[in-house]
Amino acid sequence: MDKFTKLDLNSITSNNRMNIFNCILEAKEINRAVIAKKVGLSIPAVMSITDDLIQKGIIYVIGKGKSSGGKRPELLAVVPDRFFFVGVDVGRTSVRVVVMNNCRDVVYKVSKPTESVEPDELINQITEMTMESINESKFPLDRVVGIGVAMPGLIERGTGRVIFSPNFGWNNIALQDELKKHLPFNVLVENANRALVIGEIKNTQPNPTSCIVGVNLGYGIGSAIVLPNGLYYGVSGTSGEIGHIIVENHGSYCSCGNYGCIESIASGEAIAREARIAIANKIQSSVLEKCEGDLKKIDAKMVFDAAKEGDHLAQSIVEKAADYIGKGLAITINMLDPEQIILCGGLTLSGDFFIDMIKKRYPSIRCLCRRKC
């Protein structure tokens, strides 16, 4: 560490620096002339930035490339363990922590059940799991650039304040500020769906040319809209709430306060609830065996597993969910005409089973793809 100049966020976050860094990361090894062509900068500008990144230990010279007649060019690569990022996914049923190095390789991950939805207790759990993950990864604390926390609900842009989270029953909780008090790092709190979709797009399609919609089908149903210049938030920061499109008049009550939202009918929580109610009313299903007779244990995975095995009740519940999710996707396509819709989340873990069910009901949905889980 001592041989490098001080590492701070300004070292890696300006647009030109990030473009050059990402170019090197994607190529794995590359020379400055090629970088200049790819990012649209002059060679002197690229040299200045890459020299600074080398001095800070973020990239390094790994050798010489092939010559086309002159001096053999230096090849640059990213230093994997120069700094690390921590990602925290806060879910209603579990909290997951992932530590990634400079090359975006996962070096440590852990998942534990969500112990409580009370703000103070959940903040303590996030803090403890984060510090345990960093300690288990066995690298110096000063190499942690920051912590990104994905939280369900309406998050105030910039402040990371949870204005409203129906899954947790939170109102006006200063999550980002509280975590900063507990953790000695930079902390950024973002809406879980936006964080998930941005991460997925960066892994699969770093430069969207038009509109991409990501839909998270899990305990709840959320989504995010990504344009070429980044996330689209809308005036109030509530854009992309596909899960709260009302598709059934006088339907089930939704945690948002409305009735008949897609989330209240077709989310993982809704699917499990439908199965519990049906089995409690003496409808035969293999789900009862899967939950060992305890209806409280029923989750969406059990219902999906039973549906794939041919269970009639489970199939009817999953087909209903596919129908309503398909309606929401069709509305989204008609409104936005996106380049692509990426589906992710727990309900997609059944492979193409559920996606094919949606496509069969709505053959006009052609831009659909599943996240490779």
Side-chain angles (χ1 to χ4, degrees):
M1 291 287 292
D2 293 339
K3 67 179 179 180
F4 301 131
T5 59
K6 183 179 178 181
L7 175 66
D8 56 42
L9 287 178
N10 292 328
S11 302
I12 55 173
T13 54
S14 73
N15 285 338
N16 287 343
R17 287 172 184 270
M18 280 303 300
N19 288 339
I20 289 174
F21 175 81
N22 286 331
C23 183
I24 298 170
L25 182 62
E26 183 179 352
K28 300 194 184 306
E29 54 182 57
I30 190 171
N31 67 60
R32 291 180 177 87
V34 176
I35 293 172
K37 290 180 181 179
K38 285 182 175 289
V39 301
L41 293 174
S42 67
I43 291 179
V46 169
M47 290 181 67
S48 174
I49 292 173
T50 54
D51 285 348
D52 184 56
L53 294 177
I54 289 171
Q55 188 179 18
K56 290 181 168 66
I58 297 171
I59 65 173
Y60 71 116
V61 178
I62 64 169
K64 298 283 188 177
K66 293 181 180 179
S67 172
S68 56
K71 185 179 178 181
R72 293 174 63 195
E74 289 182 331
L75 293 177
L76 305 177
V78 171
V79 178
D81 297 330
R82 176 61 175 104
F83 58 83
F84 297 82
F85 305 93
V86 180
V88 182
D89 178 25
V90 184
R92 184 63 180 77
T93 58
S94 66
V95 177
R96 295 183 294 174
V97 179
V98 173
V99 180
M100 293 186 296
N101 67 12
N102 198 10
C103 291
R104 298 176 188 163
D105 299 319
V106 174
V107 298
Y108 185 83
K109 61 182 178 180
V110 65
S111 177
K112 294 182 180 180
T114 303
E115 295 172 359
S116 172
V117 297
E118 291 299 319
D120 289 344
E121 294 178 22
L122 185 53
I123 287 169
N124 285 337
Q125 182 180 358
I126 294 170
T127 301
E128 289 174 4
M129 288 182 64
T130 298
M131 293 308 299
E132 286 174 6
S133 298
I134 292 171
N135 291 334
E136 288 293 326
S137 300
K138 294 181 173 59
F139 56 78
L141 294 183
D142 58 5
R143 294 196 185 187
V144 179
V145 172
I147 315 293
V149 179
M151 176 72 190
L154 178 58
I155 309 299
E156 186 174 51
R157 188 177 182 184
T159 69
R161 177 180 293 273
V162 181
I163 299 172
F164 175 55
S165 179
N167 287 353
F168 287 80
W170 286 14
N171 287 281
N172 199 32
I173 302 296
L175 180 58
Q176 184 167 296
D177 287 344
E178 289 301 315
L179 286 173
K180 284 181 177 179
K181 293 177 184 177
H182 289 72
L183 293 165
F185 313 109
N186 293 293
V187 178
L188 174 66
V189 175
E190 179 58 279
N191 169 269
N193 301 305
R194 293 192 175 113
L196 178 63
V197 171
I198 277 292
E200 184 60 28
I201 288 174
K202 285 186 178 296
N203 286 333
T204 60
Q205 189 172 346
N207 299 303
T209 57
S210 60
C211 171
I212 292 178
V213 178
V215 182
N216 183 12
L217 304 174
Y219 181 88
I221 294 178
S223 54
I225 301 169
V226 183
L227 303 176
N229 61 344
L231 284 164
Y232 176 70
Y233 286 85
V235 173
S236 63
T238 58
S239 67
E241 289 291 351
I242 291 175
H244 297 292
I245 294 174
I246 297 173
V247 291
E248 186 179 80
N249 292 332
H250 313 295
S252 301
Y253 177 76
C254 183
S255 57
C256 74
N258 289 324
Y259 292 84
C261 295
I262 297 173
E263 180 169 294
S264 69
I265 303 169
S267 65
E269 192 275 334
I271 288 170
R273 185 185 65 241
E274 287 285 320
R276 290 190 203 104
I277 293 171
I279 294 172
N281 287 318
K282 308 303 180 183
I283 297 178
Q284 296 296 313
S285 172
S286 62
V287 175
L288 184 60
E289 182 180 346
K290 293 181 184 298
C291 71
E292 300 176 333
D294 185 352
L295 301 189
K296 293 180 181 179
K297 291 182 179 180
I298 294 176
D299 58 22
K301 183 180 184 303
M302 293 180 189
V303 181
F304 270 82
D305 288 345
K308 293 172 76 172
E309 294 165 3
D311 182 86
H312 293 300
L313 172 64
Q315 284 181 338
S316 66
I317 293 173
V318 173
E319 286 170 359
K320 178 182 177 182
D323 186 45
Y324 282 114
I325 289 172
K327 283 182 181 179
L329 295 176
I331 291 169
T332 301
I333 289 169
N334 288 334
M335 290 290 292
L336 299 176
D337 188 23
E339 177 181 344
Q340 190 177 60
I341 292 181
I342 300 174
L343 298 185
C344 48
L347 300 191
T348 67
L349 296 178
S350 60
D352 293 331
F353 172 73
F354 193 49
I355 309 304
D356 289 344
M357 200 176 283
I358 295 171
K359 288 181 175 179
K360 183 178 179 180
R361 284 160 174 72
Y362 295 90
S364 62
I365 300 178
R366 303 181 186 279
C367 55
L368 206 61
C369 74
R370 180 174 68 89
R371 177 189 181 198
K372 301 301 182 183
C373 300

